[in-house]
Amino acid sequence: MDTTPSALLRVLLPKAPFVAKTALWHTLWLSPTSSKWDLRTEVTVNIIRSLLDSPGPTPLSEQQRWSLKDPGIKGPMWISKVTLPKPEEDDIRSVLVDAIETLKGAGGVYTTPAVLSVEAEWTGYRANVRHDRPRLDLSEAQHYQRLISEVTKPVTLIYLHGGAHYMMDPSSHRIPVSRLAHLTNGRCLSVRYRLTPQDPFPCALLDAFQTYLSLLYPPPGSFHEPVAAKNIVLAGDSAGGNLALALVQLILEINRSSTRESLAFHGQSIEFPLPLPAGVASSSPWTDLSRCMPSILSNAQYDYLPPPKGPDTVSRLPHDDIWPTDPPRGDLYCDLSMLDHPLVSPLAAKDWSKSCPMFFSCGEEMLADEGKAVASLAAKQGVTVVWEQYEAMPHCFPLLFEHLEAGRRGFKNWAAFCSKVATGSDDDEEARLETNGTWYAAKTCKETAVDVRSLALCSREEVAERMGSAIHARMQGKEGEAKILPKL
């Protein structure tokens, strides 16, 4: 993503009158959020909202190219670029397809993906350097050794970036991922998973699955030694949170229903059941691709994500070299018939029992209700769930608003969960997590305990009905053909 001063100036200069008006309304207490946001937050949210909700959608290829511009590597971070080779065996694809089929309803359509090598970036914290310090001229292996030399805890995060499944990559998330490495005293493997619409579901999920197995059972030539599952946390924001939860659901389903005793991976035999990671930690996870839950509309005033438009103003993506696809489909990520599949929309999952501990952090944002439903169901099924919601905060606020107490608190707690689940012992009473939920008040972050099991506003039957109705509306052309709103 191009964040150079000149690029930002080109974007922000035309917005000067809008910024002035926003500042005036906030100062005069005419904005509905004046009592809950400071001026900087008000201006930032409104600028992002105005950019995302432009009258004419930008072609997908242009959005994608802009989001993939590498800002370079500098400052307090170690980056070691690696390629996780594809296995010669086809077992990981076979068990993925088996799980998809087991969970799929009648008529679901998808394309079986190819198994490919996966690019990723080992990311760590580089201490005692200025933010403008350039990257050292070393080999990738040497960068990895420097990175490891500053790691003091056995925490290893697999980081799955956000971007609505079609934007961004590890280069766009280096700063927050290196910050997670710093706060956990560990290391992160940030995954360059395949993007849609070129590579739809389940390509990204297969890449995430292959990455997880590559940590447990390193392919020949890997920089890293085998990593114990008890030290691995799946972490992600927005669409990355979707993939992290989907990967947990995939492993659970493989262990529940597979008739295999093992799978082959780079010449190794991996026995079932597959080990689960130590935890899954998500910031504003996007768990419902059907966009059916009430907060999509009711929380719009606190979010920069533009709400769905009415049936008379259906948004259509401009045609370009990547959209529409051939054959055409109704959603960027998958065929419309798959929107309520548990590995596409974790909101649709019926069984989280035996899952690893879960962490959810969200604002009073448009995606809040879907996160509540997943967290509540998992907690009711015996999963340890930590839920945090911050009043009046928008989507992915810890990554955007470090100047706010809510942003700092949200990021710190996110990292603290990762550290605790990946380093604690089941025999250590102090380190043992218990299910708990917290509501943080605007500005003060005053804490109020909430019952995680009672978070869901809709029953499972109501959720299924809502998803079905939303998918039907999409099929009837009553809403946009893809998730151009919001752009996660």
Side-chain angles (χ1 to χ4, degrees):
M1 186 181 300
D2 191 352
T3 57
T4 60
S6 59
L8 293 175
L9 186 62
R10 286 195 300 271
V11 172
L12 296 178
L13 192 58
K15 298 290 182 182
F18 174 78
V19 171
K21 179 181 177 181
T22 300
L24 178 62
W25 279 56
H26 179 86
T27 304
L28 297 177
W29 292 81
L30 297 175
S31 165
T33 53
S34 295
S35 63
K36 297 185 178 181
W37 288 348
D38 62 6
L39 177 58
R40 179 175 172 182
T41 304
E42 182 97 50
V43 170
T44 302
V45 170
N46 278 280
I47 287 176
I48 298 173
R49 183 185 291 154
S50 70
L51 292 171
L52 293 180
D53 200 21
S54 56
T58 305
L60 279 181
S61 56
E62 186 176 331
Q63 292 183 43
Q64 197 175 79
R65 280 195 298 270
W66 177 79
S67 75
L68 296 178
K69 290 183 178 179
D70 192 329
I73 302 169
K74 60 182 179 180
M77 65 178 73
W78 290 110
I79 302 293
S80 173
K81 300 177 182 181
V82 296
T83 298
L84 306 173
K86 69 175 184 178
E88 294 184 3
E89 308 91 344
D90 197 43
D91 286 21
I92 59 171
R93 178 170 64 173
S94 295
V95 295
L96 169 61
V97 169
D98 288 347
I100 293 172
E101 290 295 321
T102 301
L103 293 167
K104 180 169 69 70
V109 177
Y110 66 98
T111 301
T112 302
V115 181
L116 302 178
S117 297
V118 179
E119 294 182 0
E121 293 185 356
W122 280 110
T123 305
Y125 181 70
R126 184 182 176 192
N128 303 316
V129 298
R130 302 186 310 272
H131 285 273
D132 60 349
R133 182 77 173 268
R135 189 188 193 211
L136 296 177
D137 184 16
L138 301 171
S139 69
E140 299 300 338
Q142 290 172 320
H143 278 290
Y144 181 76
Q145 291 305 317
R146 293 291 188 94
L147 182 159
I148 287 298
S149 70
E150 297 198 37
V151 171
T152 59
K153 296 285 181 66
V155 182
T156 299
L157 273 61
I158 293 177
Y159 195 87
L160 301 160
H161 65 82
H165 297 298
Y166 75 94
M167 294 191 297
M168 303 188 189
D169 77 346
S171 68
S172 61
H173 281 62
R174 285 178 186 141
I175 291 176
V177 175
S178 62
R179 189 177 170 203
L180 281 172
H182 183 204
L183 292 174
T184 60
N185 295 301
R187 57 182 171 171
C188 304
L189 185 60
S190 189
V191 185
R192 182 169 284 110
Y193 58 82
R194 281 173 277 182
L195 300 178
T196 196
Q198 299 96 320
D199 295 294
F201 172 85
C203 291
L205 182 57
L206 178 59
D207 292 345
F209 185 37
Q210 182 178 333
T211 300
Y212 179 61
L213 294 180
S214 294
L215 284 188
L216 297 172
Y217 310 96
S222 298
F223 293 165
H224 64 281
E225 298 295 323
V227 184
K230 67 179 182 179
N231 299 133
I232 299 174
V233 179
L234 307 179
D237 64 283
S238 193
N242 169 294
L243 285 174
L245 288 164
L247 179 53
V248 171
Q249 184 61 217
L250 171 62
I251 297 170
L252 290 172
E253 184 56 35
I254 291 171
N255 290 343
R256 282 191 295 254
S257 63
S258 180
T259 58
R260 292 168 171 261
E261 294 183 356
S262 63
L263 67 82
F265 186 73
H266 290 290
Q268 305 173 77
S269 180
I270 303 175
E271 295 185 357
F272 286 5
L274 294 176
L276 283 158
V280 55
S282 58
S283 177
S284 297
W286 180 23
T287 68
D288 172 28
L289 273 68
S290 75
R291 314 195 294 277
C292 74
M293 297 298 279
S295 59
I296 286 287
L297 293 175
S298 62
N299 287 358
Q301 69 171 329
Y302 297 122
D303 218 333
Y304 51 77
L305 303 176
K309 303 179 188 299
D312 296 329
T313 54
V314 173
S315 295
R316 301 295 178 188
L317 287 165
H319 290 199
D320 62 5
D321 56 341
I322 64 173
W323 188 263
T325 56
D326 183 19
R329 61 176 185 269
D331 188 89
L332 290 183
Y333 188 56
C334 65
D335 187 84
L336 292 177
S337 63
M338 295 292 287
L339 286 178
D340 59 353
H341 192 286
L343 300 182
V344 172
S345 295
L347 175 65
K350 297 177 182 178
D351 189 359
W352 291 100
S353 58
K354 299 184 180 180
S355 170
C356 56
M358 297 177 168
F359 175 88
F360 295 82
S361 174
C362 74
E364 197 172 356
E365 59 178 281
M366 292 167 60
L367 307 190
D369 284 354
E370 58 201 66
K372 288 179 179 179
V374 176
S376 178
L377 178 63
K380 289 177 182 177
Q381 294 175 341
V383 180
T384 300
V385 177
V386 177
W387 168 268
E388 296 187 353
Q389 187 174 16
Y390 292 74
E391 183 184 12
M393 284 292 97
H395 187 60
C396 290
F397 66 94
L399 283 73
L400 298 172
F401 299 110
E402 190 178 350
H403 72 286
L404 294 177
E405 174 60 23
R408 293 190 295 271
R409 183 82 63 92
F411 209 105
K412 180 180 177 182
N413 292 354
W414 189 15
F417 172 90
C418 295
S419 292
K420 194 164 190 177
V421 295
T423 59
S425 167
D426 291 338
D427 299 326
D428 185 350
E429 291 292 338
E430 293 185 0
R432 189 174 299 170
L433 274 175
E434 295 183 354
T435 293
N436 68 89
T438 308
W439 167 268
Y440 293 87
K443 292 188 174 180
T444 64
C445 278
K446 181 180 178 181
E447 300 179 19
T448 302
V450 297
D451 181 5
V452 180
R453 296 170 184 84
S454 302
L455 284 173
L457 302 179
C458 304
S459 68
R460 291 301 306 161
E461 293 74 20
E462 289 172 320
V463 168
E465 184 177 344
R466 280 180 167 274
M467 294 189 83
S469 297
I471 293 168
H472 179 72
R474 294 282 293 278
M475 289 180 171
Q476 297 297 312
K478 295 179 181 178
E479 200 193 313
E481 60 191 355
K483 195 171 184 65
I484 47 178
L485 49 96
K487 299 170 186 167
L488 304 180

